[in-house]
């Protein structure tokens, strides 16, 4: 896994416009960038975790399980 | 001014017609009003509902109906719906949202004779652990109003600590019942995921939200849990397992049972006063005949990251429609949290849900060795408003890590966990101990907690303000 590059306000601005499509004011972007960098740090160990061949714990409920 | 009685006492009095439910409700409403300006525990009091429900209880009692919570006043975190009332979620964004139905847990409590006196303050949208709220006022710690009450079920803990009512309802996604319970000196249970219906509660993170009680004592929490637990067809995560009689089972002895302790992670960086209190509590369990076993739960650092990879996108998914056009109405502290979740890759989210399966399997083997795991609920007592970093023996730590690292693993896995008071600092601030059980082993938690509380009086102490 490549070393992460720091997320900036510019990253947020472009992603918000081009992918997420939720308007985010320029004044709100630095806080989001800072938080995402902190989250990336907290997720480092998790991102290296050996998931083997497991499936997600949450999967779509089968028809049998629905009313 | 206060209502010091436990649930059983009040119910017995009301059923025995020594006091009316109406009298009890009026006393609770009066206490709620008296403390509101100083502590901001409530977002809304519900006197009309309380009087109507209390009068109905009194009528049913006269008719000979037995109800386990007859006339017991309670209040709920304001993310649970009550038909006809706003569910503010502690936020301006939801302030005008009127509920069209009552949450399943609340309805069960009312059917059992409990009387709703109000809706309680919380950290906005349940996305925080301090109880600071820019819209409805910061919820203050009853033991020292310059300190946080903990969160996000802040008002739920404060109302019980001040003896306004003997129990409240909260929700817990990373520690939001246990944290404020610990910091305010009361008892709070996060049941097993699926044990208590989530229907009628606004979500923070669908796959990690848990509904549970905060009470003054473990027996009271057991009584309330018995009422609110059970299958709900409207909640797809709801379990069909039968609900035990937690209150009756709490008295079984703990001699010979195994108490797990994990010094790594849970005891690594504790305030010395917290460390001493937990050591004394462990000794108490040994004195009662329990056997201490050192265990090692794997992957705790991985869980912190995986918890982030789930809670942020799930919260953002729920709030996304509101972020589109009213993001300015959220408080400055939670807006970036809700926006940040929009940028977590779906692959991270799915990997976190995959990790959940792997880790649950590995933890099951560890829990085979023990009956309960004992940890501190928080590494230090309540911090002051505005404090961002915990100064702990292991070095400074961001508060979010210091407070939540000890509680959020059990939201990720879904194990039941209860926080009970186990001491006080020299500054007279409560210290909490967390007991964690096997899935659906709430009875075992109540057994340990009740017997500990029989031997100690920490849970009986009330803040100076409640004695005034």
């Amino acid at each position: 896994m490549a070393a992460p590059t720091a997320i900036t306000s510019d990253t947020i601005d472009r992603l918000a416009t081009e992918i997420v499509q939720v308007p985010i004011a320029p004044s709100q972007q630095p806080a989001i960038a800072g938080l995402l960098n902190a989250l990336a740090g907290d997720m480092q160990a998790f991102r290296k975790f050996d998931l083997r061949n497991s499936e997600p714990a949450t999967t779509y409920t089968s028809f049998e399980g629905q009313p | 001014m206060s209502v010091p009685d436990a649930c059983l006492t009040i119910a017995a009095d009301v059923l025995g017609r020594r006091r009316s439910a109406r009298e009890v409700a009026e006393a609770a409403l009066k206490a709620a009003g008296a403390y509101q300006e100083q502590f901001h525990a409530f977002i809304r009091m519900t006197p009309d509902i309380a009087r109507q429900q209390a009068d109905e209880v009194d009528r049913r009692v006269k008719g000979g109906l037995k109800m386990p919570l007859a006339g017991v006043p309670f209040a709920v975190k304001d993310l649970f719906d009550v038909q006809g009332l706003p569910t503010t979620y502690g936020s301006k964004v939801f302030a005008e949202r009127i509920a069209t139905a009552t949450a399943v847990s609340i309805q069960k409590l009312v059917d059992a004779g409990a009387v709703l006196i109000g809706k309680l303050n919380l950290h906005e949208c349940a996305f925080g652990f301090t109880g600071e709220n820019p819209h409805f006022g910061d919820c203050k710690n009853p033991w020292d109003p310059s300190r946080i009450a903990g969160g996000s079920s802040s008002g739920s803990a404060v109302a019980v600590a001040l003896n306004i009512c003997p129990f409240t309802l909260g929700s817990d996604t990373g520690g939001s019942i246990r944290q404020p319970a610990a910091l305010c000196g009361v008892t709070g249970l996060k049941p097993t995921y699926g044990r208590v219906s989530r229907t009628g509660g606004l979500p923070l993170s669908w796959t990690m939200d848990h509904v549970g009680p905060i009470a003054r004592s473990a027996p009271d929490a057991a009584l309330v849990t018995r009422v609110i637990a059970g299958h709900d067809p409207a909640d797809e995560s709801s379990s069909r397992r039968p609900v035990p009689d937690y209150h009756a089972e709490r008295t079984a002895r703990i001699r010979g049972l195994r108490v797990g302790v994990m010094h790594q992670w849970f005891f690594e960086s504790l305030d010395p006063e917290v460390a001493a209190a937990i050591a004394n509590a462990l000794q108490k369990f040994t004195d009662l005949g329990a056997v201490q076993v050192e265990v090692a739960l794997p992957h705790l650092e991985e869980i912190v990251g995986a918890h982030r990879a789930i809670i942020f996108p799930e919260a953002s998914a729920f709030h996304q429609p509101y972020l589109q056009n009213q993001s300015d109405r959220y408080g400055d502290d939670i807006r970036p949290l809700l926006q940040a979740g929009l940028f977590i890759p779906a692959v991270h989210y799915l990997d976190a849900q995959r990790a959940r399966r792997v880790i649950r399997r590995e933890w099951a083997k560890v829990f085979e060795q023990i009956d309960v795991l004992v940890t501190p609920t928080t590494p230090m007592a309540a911090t002051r408003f505005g404090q961002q970093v915990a100064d702990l023996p292991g070095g400074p730590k961001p508060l979010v890590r210091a407070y939540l690292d000890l509680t959020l693993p059990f939201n990720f896995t879904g194990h039941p966990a209860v926080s009970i008071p186990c001491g006080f600092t020299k500054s007279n601030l409560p210290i909490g101990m967390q007991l964690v059980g096997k899935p659906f082993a709430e009875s075992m938690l109540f057994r340990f907690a009740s017997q500990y509380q029989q031997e100690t009086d920490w849970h009986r102490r009330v803040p100076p303000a409640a004695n005034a």
Side-chain angles (χ1 to χ4, degrees):
Chain A
M1 201 182 302
T5 308
I7 297 162
T8 64
S9 295
D10 185 50
T11 321
I12 302 302
D13 191 39
R14 290 195 56 192
L15 285 173
T17 308
E18 295 171 14
I19 296 180
V20 177
Q21 297 185 339
V22 171
I24 295 179
S27 61
Q28 296 171 357
Q29 291 167 3
I32 302 168
L35 182 58
L36 285 170
N37 284 316
L39 288 175
D42 287 345
M43 287 188 205
Q44 273 183 2
F46 153 63
R47 295 296 298 144
K48 293 176 189 159
F49 186 53
D50 178 8
L51 294 164
R52 299 160 220 175
N53 58 355
S54 64
E55 290 191 10
T58 305
T59 50
Y60 190 71
T61 310
S62 70
F63 281 105
E64 289 79 9
Q66 292 183 348
Chain B
M1 182 176 289
S2 63
V3 187
D5 318 60
C7 294
L8 265 186
T9 311
I10 293 174
D13 282 358
V14 171
L15 290 171
R17 298 174 71 176
R18 291 182 286 280
R19 282 190 281 176
S20 69
R22 181 66 177 261
E23 286 171 319
V24 177
E26 294 293 352
L29 288 165
K30 191 176 170 190
Y35 295 123
Q36 180 60 11
E37 194 177 325
Q38 189 177 4
F39 296 101
H40 301 145
F42 284 78
I43 284 179
R44 168 186 298 269
M45 281 166 239
T46 54
D48 292 344
I49 290 175
R51 288 174 185 132
Q52 181 260 322
Q53 288 177 350
D55 290 348
E56 177 61 21
V57 168
D58 287 330
R59 269 194 295 275
R60 287 154 75 187
V61 168
K62 277 186 195 159
L65 196 63
K66 304 285 182 200
M67 295 161 284
L69 295 171
V72 179
F74 77 109
V76 299
K77 187 177 186 177
D78 196 15
L79 58 65
F80 294 107
D81 286 342
V82 175
Q83 188 176 21
L85 294 183
T87 307
T88 69
Y89 212 174
S91 178
K92 268 190 190 165
V93 174
F94 296 86
E96 293 93 35
R97 180 188 175 279
I98 306 295
T100 55
T102 295
V104 166
S105 295
I106 296 177
Q107 193 57 56
K108 285 184 174 185
L109 292 165
V110 172
D111 291 345
V115 172
L116 181 73
I117 64 160
K119 304 191 80 182
L120 295 157
N121 203 354
L122 64 154
H123 201 110
E124 185 175 5
C125 300
F127 211 169
F129 56 91
T130 65
E132 292 167 289
N133 188 307
H135 313 296
F136 296 97
D138 297 340
C139 203
K140 297 185 178 164
N141 194 303
W143 295 89
D144 178 350
S146 72
R147 294 176 187 270
I148 62 168
S152 61
S153 307
S154 325
S156 304
V158 172
V160 173
L162 288 168
N163 270 336
I164 292 169
C165 47
F167 83 90
T168 58
L169 215 52
S171 69
D172 188 320
T173 312
S176 286
I177 286 173
R178 293 159 287 160
Q179 298 273 338
L183 301 187
C184 294
V186 293
T187 299
L189 172 78
K190 180 201 82 66
T192 310
Y193 187 76
R195 182 71 293 182
V196 175
S197 167
R198 295 178 293 112
T199 304
L202 286 170
L204 172 58
S205 175
W206 297 287
T207 67
M208 296 195 293
D209 289 342
H210 299 66
V211 175
I214 293 181
R216 178 152 293 282
S217 69
D220 272 2
L223 197 63
V224 174
T225 305
R226 171 103 197 269
V227 170
I228 61 176
H231 182 247
D232 168 20
D235 176 354
E236 287 192 15
S237 66
S238 174
S239 170
R240 290 180 181 276
R241 286 179 185 235
V243 179
D245 186 345
Y246 301 121
H247 194 262
E249 291 184 6
R250 81 191 191 285
T251 56
R253 295 176 70 84
I254 63 168
R255 181 166 294 283
L257 296 181
R258 300 156 302 171
V259 174
V261 179
M262 181 171 169
H263 282 95
Q264 194 194 355
W265 189 270
F266 292 105
F267 288 76
E268 270 175 353
S269 186
L270 301 182
D271 178 280
E273 290 185 286
V274 172
I278 302 293
N280 287 338
L282 285 168
Q283 184 57 50
K284 186 66 73 182
F285 287 134
T286 303
D287 295 344
L288 288 167
V291 181
Q292 201 168 307
V293 180
E294 182 72 24
V295 292
L297 290 167
H299 309 306
L300 285 156
E301 185 60 37
E302 288 87 341
I303 286 175
V304 171
H307 185 276
R308 306 270 198 275
I310 293 172
I311 192 171
F312 278 87
E314 290 195 358
S316 298
F318 175 77
H319 287 274
Q320 194 262 354
Y322 309 99
L323 291 170
Q324 285 280 4
N325 52 23
Q326 42 184 323
S327 65
D328 288 347
R329 299 182 78 198
Y330 288 102
D332 289 338
D333 65 333
I334 74 145
R335 186 192 312 106
L337 306 181
L338 296 173
Q339 290 170 323
L342 299 168
F343 299 92
I344 305 283
V347 171
H348 286 22
Y349 175 79
L350 287 166
D351 279 354
Q353 295 288 14
R354 293 172 69 199
R356 221 166 173 178
R357 247 187 227 284
V358 176
I359 292 169
R360 265 193 185 182
R361 271 199 297 268
E362 293 191 26
W363 275 31
K365 293 175 197 158
V366 177
F367 271 89
E368 281 172 14
Q369 305 163 36
I370 56 176
D371 295 292
V372 294
L373 175 76
V374 171
T375 81
T377 309
T378 63
M380 69 277 179
T383 46
R384 292 190 189 282
F385 282 104
Q387 190 174 330
Q388 298 293 325
V389 174
D391 188 18
L392 293 166
K397 209 172 183 183
L399 272 200
V400 65
R401 291 293 310 250
Y403 273 129
L404 298 186
D405 278 9
L406 307 190
T407 50
L408 70 77
F410 311 109
N411 296 83
F412 181 78
T413 60
H415 287 76
V418 65
S419 179
I420 59 174
C422 70
F424 279 77
T425 67
K426 290 190 184 80
S427 312
N428 206 28
L429 296 171
I431 296 169
M433 166 170 59
Q434 179 174 235
L435 307 172
V436 187
K438 296 180 173 110
F440 297 100
E442 282 83 0
S443 281
M444 185 63 76
L445 299 184
F446 288 130
R447 195 164 155 184
F448 271 86
S450 298
Q451 290 188 36
Y452 179 78
Q453 289 183 342
Q454 270 195 331
E455 300 288 321
T456 58
D457 71 350
W458 309 116
H459 64 295
R460 294 183 193 281
R461 299 192 183 187
V462 291
N467 287 324

